[in-house]
Amino acid sequence: MEQLNIQRLQSQPQLRPGQLKQSVPKQSFVEQLNNALAPQTLKVSKHATERLTERNITISEAEWAHVTDKVNEAKAKGIRDSLVLLDQAALIVSAKNSTVITAMDRKEAKDQLFTNIDGTIILS
């Protein structure tokens, strides 16, 4: 018969009646709201990185900064998923997660139908 190794987890000491439990300071609603609306850096998913590489799409740092600013602006207005059109590329971006989901060049995007987006950002 195999022996079980059971470890005891340390628990907090029990409180006596009338004794106050120490609590961790909580963020106010306003602080949480400000954190949620604060500009976030744009992440690029593995899938989008592969698409950018295989389609030879290059986006400059300045363009990424502009896209990031506009995605944060869209997020503040309640946009969750957007199509971002640049001169050379089309990006599908989750504003909710601040993540580029996929990318294609503009020629490839020309005859595409984009679904499940609730906003479009046109940058030129």
Side-chain angles (χ1 to χ4, degrees):
M1 188 156 172
E2 194 174 313
Q3 255 187 348
L4 296 176
N5 185 9
I6 300 174
Q7 297 177 348
R8 280 205 110 142
L9 298 176
Q10 289 184 336
S11 62
Q12 294 184 359
Q14 290 194 2
L15 298 176
R16 288 174 268 184
Q19 187 178 11
L20 295 176
K21 180 179 177 182
Q22 291 181 353
S23 64
V24 178
K26 296 180 181 177
Q27 286 185 325
S28 71
F29 174 76
V30 173
E31 289 172 324
Q32 289 181 14
L33 180 62
N34 287 335
N35 288 340
L37 295 177
Q40 295 186 0
T41 58
L42 202 58
K43 299 176 288 267
V44 182
S45 71
K46 181 179 177 183
H47 174 79
T49 301
E50 290 170 357
R51 296 299 169 264
L52 289 166
T53 302
E54 70 188 31
R55 293 171 174 149
N56 202 23
I57 300 170
T58 305
I59 301 174
S60 71
E61 289 294 323
E63 289 173 313
W64 277 120
H66 195 199
V67 170
T68 301
D69 289 343
K70 289 299 182 180
V71 168
N72 283 321
E73 187 179 324
K75 181 179 180 179
K77 291 183 179 190
I79 302 297
R80 292 181 309 266
D81 296 300
S82 63
L83 169 65
V84 179
L85 295 174
L86 300 157
D87 288 336
Q88 76 283 17
L91 309 172
I92 301 295
V93 180
S94 168
K96 180 181 174 183
N97 300 323
S98 298
T99 304
V100 178
I101 298 169
T102 194
M104 62 192 75
D105 63 37
R106 284 295 294 263
K107 289 178 186 175
E108 184 182 6
K110 185 177 180 181
D111 294 324
Q112 294 293 323
L113 175 66
F114 297 95
T115 59
N116 297 327
I117 60 169
D118 56 357
T120 301
I121 301 169
I122 302 172
L123 305 174
S124 54

